[in-house]
Amino acid sequence: METGLVGAIDEASETEEQDRFLIINKAALKRPGVILRLLSIVVCFVGSILAVFLPMVTIEYASYSSSTTFTDARAVRFPAELISGWNNLFGGDYFGYYLKSKYGAEVLCTVKANFNWVLFLFLIIAILFAVLAFLVTFSKRMEKLSKLVILGYILCGIACVCSPIWFMAVNNFGNTQAIATTDLGHYYLFDSLYVHDAFGAVVSCLVLIGAGIVFAVGTAKENAGGDNRNAEQ
Amino acid sequence: MRKSNKAFFVFLLAPVFVLAGCSNDFSNSVTSLDDFLTVADAASLDIQSSVVKTDSGSSSVGGASSSTAASSSTEEDKPAHGAYLYANDNYSISNGSVSFTGYSEVHGSETDYFLIDLTKKSGFVTTDPSLLSAHLNDAKDLIVRDYTALTGVYDDMKTYVGKTAADYDKMTYLKLAYTLAGDAAGYTLSTITVDADVKVETNVYLTLDQIGGQWAFTNYSKRVTTSETYEKNGKQLTNYTYSVVEYMVNVVTSLSTLNLNLTSYSIYIQGKTPADIAWTNGTPLTEK
């Protein structure tokens, strides 16, 4: 009878421990799994900072299809334009690209970049996932969300590598005006426009995915042979 | 903040600034006249061709019916034309009802000159080059005139330097920016004026290329969009009028040769009758 009561008290204590939110102690900070998970947060912030500062978008011209009407000579004369991460994200600075009218005029126009709310949203989400990673690391009851953190990091990495898409969308250029050349309001062609990732997009993507991998490894170490953090505590 | 902390932050931020500098900024707003390049005049360039195209139209939005591409005439309309110069003073000109090609071909010590009326698909051959010179001069004049017009556009852009929309009557938006990318440069002037229910958007794009070490105007596009809002039968309608004028100037380092195919053209010999069947060098007419 007495033994049974002690066992029930121990179980209750363990359940209470599992339900507690955000338990940070020195012992936990020494576990490799926890260290890796915290490292993933740092890596996530590094990836986000790189996305803000590194060149994310490249504008070039290339004759890559049979429908190209842009002259090769002009395409060669235009050096690859690297849009900085800052301008890609917050806008405010200018960038240039060619427009080709239906009559053949190839004009180099200059426009001011708009605020890239799509990428901004993804970077905010990345930071939120970093916060979630911290909470998951020190909260037993949030352990189930660890896979969501991994997914979130990778998703934000993919969002970074998709920067050219967001950039063209928020700045309203690309193929949107190439469809109805008979309409004077939509008669510019973009057929040779080649907007692709700058190295910053690839780097920030890899770093964010790296954060996901680091967090996944940390999670695997934490859960090796079952979640043993209570045992160590 | 302690000195060591400051040094630490500088150490951390330095790579970030270095990375930020990896992008290349080709574009900027025009803030002074120094942002304008020195452009060569027509006399110092080899201009192969100059083509001017215009277009205009209107549409109505908001009503039950709409029309597009209706003909309209505005001050932006200019007569479309084209002038092409080739090596050996060969040329082609198309201006209004005038549409000619002048072509010469050397046979030994003698040169034959062809003047082809592209509209009638006929022409003549002669040994007198002066019969071709009138249209040749017209083509040259047209090219110089077009290039000079672009110089005027460029000079007009300079008047907007340091100005804001508030400096102009009824103007609500003004942007003057440029891109300098390698051997290409482009100036963009955008303005919006609003007068009661009439809004006029003007976009001027002037493109320059560096050819043979000299900057030259090569492409120009001016689009004026006028939108007028009015009420009809209780409905808010908007009338849009578009006007476009574009210049395409081909500046080269040396004029190319004209390759002419006269298969579908009828050619006669200027100043000769059918009885004159041979040239002075003895070449039979049938071989021409």
Side-chain angles (χ1 to χ4, degrees):
Chain A
M1 183 69 176
E2 190 178 334
T3 308
L5 282 174
V6 172
I9 289 167
D10 286 346
E11 279 177 19
S13 174
E14 192 175 321
T15 306
E16 189 182 337
E17 186 74 13
Q18 285 179 355
D19 287 343
R20 280 184 65 185
F21 178 71
L22 210 58
I23 306 165
I24 302 172
N25 56 51
K26 285 185 179 177
L29 292 174
K30 289 176 184 173
R31 293 202 303 269
V34 171
I35 293 169
L36 284 172
R37 282 178 158 190
L38 293 179
L39 182 64
S40 78
I41 296 170
V42 176
V43 175
C44 172
F45 276 101
V46 169
S48 302
I49 289 169
L50 291 177
V52 174
F53 288 101
L54 283 183
M56 297 290 279
V57 179
T58 306
I59 298 176
E60 280 188 287
Y61 288 85
S63 302
Y64 52 81
S65 78
S66 57
S67 64
T68 295
T69 59
F70 216 71
T71 57
D72 284 343
R74 183 162 290 286
V76 168
R77 291 166 69 88
F78 188 84
E81 182 178 10
L82 298 175
I83 307 295
S84 70
W86 190 270
N87 197 24
N88 170 49
L89 186 60
F90 298 110
D93 284 339
Y94 291 88
F95 68 99
Y97 57 84
Y98 274 104
L99 295 171
K100 180 158 185 166
S101 81
K102 67 175 179 179
Y103 297 118
E106 296 166 342
V107 291
L108 180 56
C109 75
T110 310
V111 295
K112 186 181 272 190
N114 293 324
F115 173 66
N116 193 337
W117 62 269
V118 183
L119 186 61
F120 184 80
L121 190 66
F122 274 110
L123 291 181
I124 292 294
I125 289 172
I127 291 166
L128 291 177
F129 273 111
V131 173
L132 183 61
F134 184 82
L135 298 177
V136 167
T137 303
F138 294 109
S139 302
K140 169 71 178 166
R141 70 178 181 185
M142 295 181 78
E143 186 59 36
K144 286 178 182 174
L145 296 177
S146 60
K147 284 174 185 163
L148 187 64
V149 173
I150 298 166
L151 185 69
Y153 281 154
I154 292 172
L155 183 73
C156 292
I158 292 169
C160 283
V161 91
C162 292
S163 278
I165 299 170
W166 320 134
F167 186 73
M168 285 195 289
V170 298
N171 289 296
N172 193 29
F173 80 103
N175 282 327
T176 52
Q177 295 179 57
I179 42 175
T181 56
T182 50
D183 181 354
L184 279 174
H186 301 85
Y187 85 139
Y188 282 128
L189 300 168
F190 291 92
D191 62 344
S192 299
L193 180 67
Y194 181 35
V195 182
H196 60 93
D197 282 324
F199 64 91
V202 178
V203 170
S204 55
C205 168
L206 291 177
V207 171
L208 282 167
I209 289 175
I213 291 169
V214 170
F215 189 86
V217 172
T219 301
K221 283 198 172 293
E222 279 290 276
N223 296 336
D227 188 355
N228 62 348
R229 71 180 73 182
N230 290 324
E232 288 188 24
Q233 284 170 5
Chain B
M1 190 180 283
R2 287 191 311 179
K3 273 187 179 179
S4 58
N5 286 347
K6 277 184 182 175
F8 178 70
F9 277 109
V10 169
F11 178 75
L12 278 182
L13 290 175
V16 174
F17 285 116
V18 170
L19 293 173
C22 291
S23 59
N24 49 11
D25 293 326
F26 295 150
S27 309
N28 218 329
S29 61
V30 175
T31 53
S32 76
L33 289 173
D34 293 337
D35 292 329
F36 284 92
L37 299 165
T38 302
V39 183
D41 57 18
S44 56
L45 295 167
D46 282 327
I47 302 176
Q48 177 102 48
S49 64
S50 172
V51 178
V52 174
K53 299 278 189 182
T54 63
D55 207 340
S56 58
S58 64
S59 63
S60 179
V61 176
S65 62
S66 66
S67 63
T68 57
S71 176
S72 70
S73 179
T74 72
E75 61 176 357
E76 301 302 333
D77 286 345
K78 296 181 188 302
H81 59 257
Y84 306 83
L85 297 177
Y86 300 94
N88 305 318
D89 271 349
N90 294 335
Y91 65 89
S92 187
I93 182 170
S94 175
N95 189 16
S97 60
V98 175
S99 186
F100 284 96
T101 289
Y103 176 68
S104 61
E105 191 164 320
V106 178
H107 294 280
S109 60
E110 192 167 309
T111 305
D112 299 331
Y113 298 92
F114 294 79
L115 184 63
I116 313 297
D117 188 330
L118 297 171
T119 309
K120 295 177 182 174
K121 289 207 153 195
S122 68
F124 63 79
V125 57
T126 178
T127 53
D128 183 4
S130 65
L131 295 176
L132 279 68
S133 59
H135 292 307
L136 172 62
N137 292 333
D138 285 347
K140 286 181 176 176
D141 289 346
L142 208 53
I143 284 175
V144 171
R145 198 183 74 190
D146 289 346
Y147 195 85
T148 306
L150 295 183
T151 307
V153 170
Y154 196 54
D155 291 338
D156 183 57
M157 279 186 170
K158 292 176 182 175
T159 63
Y160 288 91
V161 174
K163 301 282 179 61
T164 64
D167 295 322
Y168 297 92
D169 188 31
K170 295 166 184 169
M171 191 178 284
T172 57
Y173 179 78
L174 170 64
K175 183 191 79 178
L176 179 59
Y178 73 100
T179 295
L180 179 56
D183 289 337
Y187 290 84
T188 302
L189 173 66
S190 301
T191 62
I192 297 175
T193 57
V194 179
D195 185 7
D197 294 329
V198 179
K199 179 181 173 185
V200 180
E201 293 180 62
T202 306
N203 288 298
V204 181
Y205 306 109
L206 184 57
T207 303
L208 296 82
D209 285 290
Q210 195 170 29
I211 295 150
Q214 299 184 95
W215 285 101
F217 304 117
T218 52
N219 286 271
Y220 165 75
S221 177
K222 181 176 183 180
R223 295 162 51 83
V224 180
T225 306
T226 305
S227 54
E228 184 175 6
T229 307
Y230 61 98
E231 194 174 314
K232 188 178 181 183
N233 299 331
K235 285 183 178 177
Q236 281 289 323
L237 303 177
T238 305
N239 241 1
Y240 291 95
T241 305
Y242 305 98
S243 173
V244 176
V245 58
E246 295 184 339
Y247 287 59
M248 287 147 280
V249 179
N250 185 18
V251 181
V252 295
T253 50
S254 62
L255 298 177
S256 62
T257 55
L258 171 61
N259 296 313
L260 196 60
N261 185 352
L262 297 174
T263 305
S264 60
Y265 289 78
S266 59
I267 308 294
Y268 66 92
I269 303 168
Q270 174 70 16
K272 299 286 181 181
T273 64
D276 305 316
I277 57 169
W279 295 94
T280 53
N281 63 0
T283 306
L285 178 62
T286 52
E287 287 186 15
K288 286 290 179 183

